Amino acid sequence: MSSSYVLIKIHDSDNVAIILNQGGAPKGAELPGGITLIEDVPQGHKVALVDIETGGQVRRYNEVVGYAKHEIKQGSWVSEKVVDMPTPPKLDELQLATREKPNFEPLEGYTFDGYKNPDGSAGTKNLLGISTSVQCVAGITDYVVKLIKKTLLPKYPNVDGVVALNHTYGCGVAITAPAAIVPIRTLQNMAKNPNFGGEIMVVGLGCEKLSPSRLLEIDEEQAVNLLPNSEAAKTLEDHVVSLQDENHHGFQDMVDHIMEMAEAHLERLNKRRREPCPISELVVGMQCGGSDAFSGVTANPAVGYASDLIVRAGGSVMFSEVSEVRDGIHLLTPRADTVEVGQALLREMQWFDDYLSQGKADRSANTTPGNKKGGLNNIVEKSLGSITKSGNSPIVDVLSPGERIRKRGLNFAATPASDFICGTLQFASGMNIQVFTTGRGTPYGLEVAPVIKVSTNSTLGKRWHDLIDMDAGRIASKEITLEEAGWELFHLILDVASGRKQVAADRLGLHNDLVLFNPAPVT
């Protein structure tokens, strides 16, 4: 007699499997393989397939995800309470660039309809971005953005929107500290994102440490000693509004100046039209948040399959979240395109180890109550599911936080795992569309780039039917194969990038703030 309960076992060597059934399975349930549950097990949580001795390995993904604190009987719930976490891989013992490169055939004949830029890049949106040099001006920029949307945007129908790039940096910070380069280059590179069409506009205060000229990458000394008719002076005049300018006599003068400058940018942006662009100008950011035990079974592998398709078509993919890669780094360094790329991966892992250590924390601080409720015992198990978003392509480059993408193909963009910080840093690195997988559910979205949300399980996909763009839980229920899901996501990415389909977050107007990563001191 077949069991009505379904177990998902990832690898033959695994000694645990997760429960697929909605609501889980009760004590006494008969599972496939003649296993009888000896306690209730929630959906997505692990069941011991065999007896595991004290100190014995708990294996999932053909990797050790924990050690038994005491004997675990077959049919037991293998929760976080009965498992000790393994130590992370030692960085000085890892193989670099040793894997034979997969023989992927180029994928030809695919394009997307984007907005071409003078520098050769292409946007998936046509936005006016108003950058800021300091938090002090955020109230003004928020006010002006509302005014622009109400009074100016209707005159420029080809512009998708206007976004204020507000942040909490710019003053009261150790601007010369070595780590200050992270927030500074992030702000510089966000303004260069293809979705802004090269129309850089900055609102500053006038007395801040982070000068608008630095955001425009004009030499500080040169900016102080500008000749009136120099190219640098013209750039500042056309792109920067300083609220403390002596010509501003009150609030309305400031607003009028910003509105006048914004309209000049909007006129140029309005001339842009979607046109066929090569996939080489698509930069797809892959991220996960609110992960569960299904993440590494359904959505993330489907994302990985789609990642390989994007790379084969000549495009670029970036995966991130250092603390969710650290425990799977031994599976990634062999995939480095060169030894130098492998060393760069190690560099970013070590930097983040040191960063956490300085804060008297470690990678175990990553996992959330929601992750654990969704069946992930620890960061090791979470990492092994997370890295499947990277597919099987060689890793061609490693970006430090906030650096711009340099090479087409699969990139590792080093970021913290915070959804908002990761999204911001990926955007600064050049991401023009993002795929975000979730098992617990989140309304996360970005105004600056489309975010395709993929559910890891159909329970969430059905319950959040108007918030989720694709349900990868159908892989677990065998409604579609992993390959079919990967192709479906690939086509969805192209449709969204082309403006043919709108993601749920954009349709509902659900957009999170951009959040800088500032590892440097605040004074």
Side-chain angles (χ1 to χ4, degrees):
M1 180 178 175
S2 63
S3 171
S4 60
Y5 295 98
V6 179
L7 290 174
I8 299 178
K9 180 181 177 182
I10 297 173
H11 192 273
D12 287 343
S13 71
D14 294 350
N15 57 8
V16 294
I18 63 172
I19 297 280
L20 171 63
N21 303 68
Q22 185 174 353
K27 177 181 179 179
E30 295 294 329
L31 305 180
I35 298 170
T36 302
L37 282 187
I38 59 178
E39 55 188 314
D40 296 345
V41 178
Q43 182 186 28
H45 285 247
K46 291 175 288 299
V47 176
L49 302 178
V50 295
D51 292 342
I52 304 173
E53 64 184 6
T54 302
Q57 295 180 350
V58 177
R59 299 188 66 86
R60 191 172 181 231
Y61 300 104
N62 192 30
E63 297 285 334
V64 178
V65 298
Y67 295 96
K69 290 184 177 181
H70 53 71
E71 184 181 12
I72 301 173
K73 291 290 188 181
Q74 182 190 63
S76 296
W77 176 14
V78 186
S79 71
E80 59 165 318
K81 296 177 182 177
V82 301
V83 172
D84 286 323
M85 189 169 71
T87 57
K90 293 182 178 179
L91 297 178
D92 59 356
E93 297 179 357
L94 301 181
Q95 296 181 339
L96 306 180
T98 55
R99 191 195 71 169
E100 185 177 343
K101 293 178 177 60
N103 186 25
F104 287 146
E105 289 186 13
L107 197 58
E108 299 176 343
Y110 290 95
T111 62
F112 74 101
D113 294 337
Y115 297 97
K116 289 185 177 179
N117 296 317
D119 65 357
S121 66
T124 62
K125 284 189 173 186
N126 186 23
L127 297 168
L128 172 61
I130 301 179
S131 190
T132 61
S133 58
V134 67
Q135 167 65 19
C136 307
V137 305
I140 295 279
T141 53
D142 285 342
Y143 178 91
V144 170
V145 164
K146 291 176 184 176
L147 194 59
I148 292 172
K149 288 180 176 179
K150 182 179 179 180
T151 64
L152 291 184
L153 274 187
K155 296 164 55 179
Y156 303 102
N158 296 319
V159 180
D160 295 325
V162 56
V163 183
L165 305 180
N166 291 330
H167 55 85
T168 58
Y169 198 69
C171 213
V173 294
I175 201 82
T176 59
I181 189 60
V182 173
I184 293 170
R185 71 178 169 220
T186 301
L187 289 168
Q188 291 171 335
N189 289 334
M190 277 201 298
K192 299 174 187 173
N193 188 279
N195 290 352
F196 294 141
E199 295 296 327
I200 299 175
M201 179 174 168
V202 182
V203 176
L205 184 59
C207 59
E208 62 270 33
K209 288 185 175 181
L210 180 61
S211 66
S213 59
R214 189 166 184 184
L215 288 184
L216 295 172
E217 298 183 63
I218 296 173
D219 181 80
E220 298 271 1
E221 188 172 330
Q222 182 187 4
V224 172
N225 302 299
L226 283 179
L227 295 174
N229 296 317
S230 67
E231 185 177 340
K234 188 72 169 65
T235 298
L236 290 176
E237 182 181 344
D238 291 344
H239 297 281
V240 176
V241 175
S242 179
L243 300 187
Q244 291 177 355
D245 190 305
E246 292 180 358
N247 295 319
H248 291 155
H249 299 285
F251 173 73
Q252 194 57 50
D253 274 1
M254 300 173 189
V255 171
D256 290 346
H257 190 177
I258 298 171
M259 293 290 284
E260 180 184 358
M261 184 177 290
E263 185 150 26
H265 288 278
L266 288 169
E267 287 176 355
R268 290 190 288 270
L269 287 170
N270 197 54
K271 295 176 182 177
R272 303 172 85 207
R273 298 290 188 277
R274 288 191 183 272
E275 54 186 307
C277 299
I279 301 294
S280 59
E281 301 312 321
L282 202 58
V283 182
V284 187
M286 303 300 189
Q287 192 183 353
C288 52
S291 300
D292 67 358
F294 289 105
S295 296
V297 178
T298 58
N300 290 352
V303 165
Y305 193 94
S307 294
D308 289 337
L309 294 177
I310 293 289
V311 171
R312 286 173 56 194
S316 298
V317 171
M318 56 180 70
F319 70 110
S320 300
E321 303 169 284
V322 174
S323 59
E324 296 182 14
V325 162
R326 179 66 177 85
D327 282 274
I329 190 63
H330 59 294
L331 303 176
L332 295 176
T333 52
R335 290 172 50 191
D337 196 43
T338 64
V339 170
E340 290 74 21
V341 172
Q343 290 170 338
L345 278 169
L346 299 184
R347 178 196 71 214
E348 296 302 329
M349 297 302 112
Q350 187 61 60
W351 188 95
F352 213 80
D353 281 356
D354 295 341
Y355 169 72
L356 290 175
S357 179
Q358 289 167 9
K360 301 191 184 304
D362 62 28
R363 80 233 200 266
S364 66
N366 172 281
T367 39
T368 68
N371 294 150
K372 294 174 182 179
K373 193 172 181 179
L376 294 173
N377 283 359
N378 53 43
I379 188 57
V380 180
E381 187 178 4
K382 187 177 179 181
S383 295
L384 293 168
S386 176
I387 63 173
T388 60
K389 298 194 300 294
S390 66
N392 288 296
S393 300
I395 301 168
V396 298
D397 202 6
V398 176
L399 307 176
S400 293
E403 285 187 331
R404 289 191 83 189
I405 192 167
R406 296 177 288 258
K407 295 182 179 179
R408 293 187 174 99
L410 178 65
N411 286 255
F412 178 70
T415 76
S418 160
D419 298 345
F420 323 108
I421 295 177
C422 176
T424 302
L425 288 171
Q426 285 193 345
F427 184 74
S429 293
M431 171 267 288
N432 51 17
I433 186 171
Q434 190 178 57
V435 177
F436 188 101
T437 69
T438 182
R440 305 298 294 169
T442 172
Y444 169 85
L446 295 173
E447 192 169 6
V448 293
V451 178
I452 298 170
K453 285 208 290 297
V454 182
S455 63
T456 71
N457 63 84
S458 294
T459 301
L460 175 66
K462 292 173 182 175
R463 194 173 76 244
W464 283 27
H465 58 92
D466 51 357
L467 287 164
I468 297 297
D469 299 296
M470 177 179 165
D471 174 22
R474 294 170 295 155
I475 298 170
S477 58
K478 298 185 178 180
E479 296 173 54
I480 56 174
T481 65
L482 173 61
E483 293 77 11
E484 289 169 339
W487 275 104
E488 180 180 325
L489 179 56
F490 173 75
H491 287 293
L492 180 58
I493 291 169
L494 298 188
D495 283 342
V496 171
S498 301
R500 292 188 291 267
K501 290 186 178 179
Q502 189 178 37
V503 295
D506 284 352
R507 185 178 66 251
L508 297 169
L510 303 176
H511 299 129
N512 289 94
D513 292 338
L514 296 170
V515 181
L516 290 184
F517 177 40
N518 177 26
V522 174
T523 59

